[in-house]
Amino acid sequence: MNQSFFTQSSRLLTVFFAVGLGSSFLLARSAYSQQTSAEKPLVAYVGTFSAPLQDMLPTQVDLPPGNGRGIHRFHVDRQTGAMTQVGEFLLGTSPSSLVINAAGNRLYSANETDRVGENKEGTVSAFAIDPDGGKLTPLNSVSSGGAGPTYVSLDPSGRFLLVANYFGGSVSVLPILADGKLGQATDIQVDEGEIGPTKATHAPPGSFAISGHDRTHAHMIHSDPSGQFVLHVDLGLDRIYVWKLDRETGKLIPNTPAFVSLPPGDGPRHFHFHPNGKWFYSIQEEGSTVALFDFDVETGNLKHRQTLSTLPPEFKGSNFCSGILVSNDGRFVYVGNRLHDSIGIFSVNDDGTLTYVGEEWTRGDYPRSFNFDPTGQFLYCCNQRADHVSVFRVDAKTGKLIFTDHYAAVGNPSAIVFLDQAETGK
C-alpha cells in the first residue's frame, strides 16, 4: 500500500470523525433543548376570597370569611396532576376571577370588592408574568365600573378586557394598553328590567335556593368563539344578553334581539360554547338546570332546544349551580353543584343535546368553579368552603372523573387558570 492511500484514508477518517462529533453535538444540543423546555413549569394561579366584603345584600348567602391571601401560584406535576405552591401575591380585595392573555405574559384579576370611590366600586388589576416560573408583578389597578366584579374575560383581539359586575348589575369594557396596563372603561352597560321571582321555575322539590332575585346581577361576560359577539348573563333578570363590540370605540352595541329570557327565577349564572361554536350551554344557579341553545354564528341569535336538571333524579332540597365546562374534544359537559357538592357529567350527542352520565363528589364543600389543565387530562375543582383544590383525572372515553388523592390547600379558592410556560414564546 502506498503513502497516498494512507493519506486519503486518514482524511476520510477525519471527515467521518468530525461529522460524527457534529451529529453528536446536534443530538446533545437537541436533547438539552428538549430538557430545558420540559423544565419550564406548568403554572396554576388560584384566585381567592381574601377579605370579607362589606355592605352585602341580605341574599348574599355564600359570602366566605376571606381565608385566601390573594392570588396563589403553584407548579403542577404534568404526570400526576399534583400541585406545589411556589408563591403568592398578597391582595386583600378578593381576586375571585382570573384570565391570562394569549401570549402568556399578562394576567388580569377581577377584585370582588365594593369599597372603591364614592360609588363603592370594585377594581380590576393587571400583572406581568415572569417567563421563568410565573411570578406576578403588578402593573396597575383601575375601577371595574361597578360593585363586586365577579368575572373577567379577554376579547379575542387582545385589546379589551370584559368585566361583569355582580353587585353593580353592570358590564364594562376596559382597554388594554400597549404595555399590558388597563385603561379606564370605554363603556359601562347597566342591566335594567323586571326582576324574576325568588322561586325558580325548575327548582328541585323542597328547594330554598334563593340568592340573586332581589336586583340585577351580571354574573359572566364572554365573547363567542368567532369573536363577532359578546354575551353576558344577568341572574336577577333571568336573561342572556348578546352584544357586538365596536373595536374602534370599545363600545357594546345591542344585538337584535338584545337578549333571550330563561324561565322565571332559574337564574342564569355561567355558560360555555361547544368547540364548534354553534352549541351554547347555560347553567342556571337557582333552577339547577343546564340549557342548550343553538347559536347562529351569523346573527348572534340564540334558540333554546333542551333543558335538563344538573342533579340526580332522586335529589330533593336546596342546591346552587356554579360553573360549566365543555371538554376540549366537545364530547362531554361538566356542571358544578354547590350544597350537593358534586360535578354533574353529561355526554354530548351528535345533535348537541345532552345525556346525563352521572356525578362525582368533589371531595370538598361548595365547588365554586373548576377547570381543565391545558391537556384536558386533569380537572381541578375549587372547593370554596373546604379551603382546598381537589384534583381529578378525566377518563377520555367515558367522561367520568377519577379522584387522584391530591389536594392543594388554598383558603376560599374561587377560580383556577393555567399557563404552560414550555409552550409560551414558541
Side-chain angles (χ1 to χ4, degrees):
M1 295 184 182
N2 55 33
Q3 183 68 29
S4 63
F5 173 81
F6 286 105
T7 302
Q8 186 177 5
S9 298
S10 177
R11 288 173 179 170
L12 288 170
L13 286 171
T14 301
V15 170
F16 285 134
F17 183 68
V19 171
L21 275 179
S23 300
S24 298
F25 174 76
L26 290 173
L27 288 171
R29 182 177 180 180
S30 175
Y32 175 78
S33 176
Q34 292 176 8
Q35 181 181 9
T36 302
S37 176
E39 289 174 353
K40 287 271 191 177
L42 172 58
V43 186
Y45 299 94
V46 180
T48 66
F49 289 99
S50 56
L53 305 184
Q54 297 177 347
D55 305 322
M56 289 297 93
L57 302 169
T59 52
Q60 186 59 23
V61 297
D62 62 345
L63 182 65
N67 295 331
R69 293 174 57 81
I71 302 174
H72 298 239
R73 177 167 52 98
F74 295 83
H75 287 177
V76 181
D77 188 303
R78 300 172 189 272
Q79 302 302 316
T80 67
M83 302 167 64
T84 302
Q85 183 158 334
V86 294
E88 56 191 22
F89 185 86
L90 301 181
L91 193 62
T93 51
S94 293
S96 62
S97 177
L98 311 174
V99 65
I100 297 172
N101 68 347
N105 61 0
R106 297 288 185 267
L107 180 144
Y108 300 93
S109 70
N111 307 318
E112 196 170 340
T113 184
D114 61 348
R115 304 176 182 179
V116 178
E118 294 181 359
N119 296 326
K120 292 187 176 181
E121 296 183 338
T123 61
V124 182
S125 298
F127 300 86
I129 300 175
D130 183 85
D132 296 311
K135 183 179 179 180
L136 299 177
T137 300
L139 295 176
N140 75 329
S141 295
V142 298
S143 171
S144 67
T150 190
Y151 196 90
V152 286
S153 63
L154 285 162
D155 172 66
S157 71
R159 296 171 52 197
F160 298 98
L161 188 75
L162 308 173
V163 186
N165 296 295
Y166 182 79
F167 296 113
S170 66
V171 294
S172 57
V173 181
L174 279 64
I176 298 174
L177 309 180
D179 58 1
K181 292 181 179 179
L182 292 166
Q184 296 298 319
T186 54
D187 197 13
I188 299 172
Q189 296 285 341
V190 180
D191 296 342
E192 295 180 348
E194 183 178 348
I195 305 302
T198 55
K199 181 68 174 179
T201 299
H202 288 102
S207 174
F208 288 88
I210 301 168
S211 63
H213 286 87
D214 56 341
R215 54 176 296 173
T216 58
H217 289 297
H219 215 312
M220 177 181 175
I221 184 169
H222 207 286
S223 297
D224 77 304
S226 74
Q228 294 187 74
F229 300 95
V230 172
L231 298 92
H232 94 266
V233 296
D234 191 294
L235 188 146
L237 297 176
D238 298 308
R239 291 176 180 174
I240 302 172
Y241 288 84
V242 184
W243 307 84
K244 293 180 181 178
L245 175 62
D246 185 329
R247 292 184 175 86
E248 295 300 318
T249 63
K251 301 288 186 181
L252 292 169
I253 304 166
N255 198 44
T256 304
F259 60 84
V260 295
S261 295
L262 278 293
D266 278 7
R269 175 184 171 93
H270 278 197
F271 58 82
H272 202 185
F273 277 91
H274 189 273
N276 66 16
K278 298 180 181 180
W279 299 332
F280 174 96
Y281 300 97
S282 170
I283 194 170
Q284 283 59 250
E285 180 171 320
E286 291 157 80
S288 292
T289 61
V290 55
L292 162 65
F293 292 82
D294 288 324
F295 180 75
D296 190 316
V297 297
E298 299 297 329
T299 66
N301 292 338
L302 290 165
K303 183 178 179 181
H304 176 261
R305 193 145 54 90
Q306 183 190 29
T307 295
L308 292 174
S309 172
T310 64
L311 297 159
E314 65 277 8
F315 179 85
K316 293 178 176 62
S318 298
N319 179 72
F320 295 94
C321 283
S322 56
I324 181 168
L325 283 180
V326 183
S327 62
N328 296 344
D329 59 10
R331 297 181 58 224
F332 300 98
V333 171
Y334 299 84
V335 300
N337 293 304
R338 295 173 293 177
L339 296 186
H340 188 255
D341 295 335
S342 68
I343 296 176
I345 306 166
F346 296 82
S347 61
V348 179
N349 302 316
D350 292 340
D351 61 353
T353 57
L354 301 178
T355 298
Y356 181 71
V357 173
E359 76 279 342
E360 180 66 28
W361 173 40
T362 66
R363 270 63 175 187
D365 189 357
Y366 224 63
R368 184 173 182 86
S369 72
F370 44 89
N371 202 359
F372 298 111
D373 77 310
T375 68
Q377 296 182 77
F378 294 97
L379 183 144
Y380 294 76
C381 182
C382 295
N383 291 299
Q384 177 183 310
R385 293 179 180 172
D387 298 313
H388 71 237
V389 177
S390 51
V391 187
F392 298 83
R393 189 179 293 275
V394 180
D395 187 317
K397 292 183 179 180
T398 66
K400 293 185 177 181
L401 303 174
I402 302 97
F403 184 51
T404 63
D405 292 324
H406 294 307
Y407 297 90
V410 186
N412 294 147
S414 176
I416 182 169
V417 294
F418 294 89
L419 174 63
D420 190 345
Q421 293 201 308
E423 297 294 326
T424 56
K426 285 188 176 181

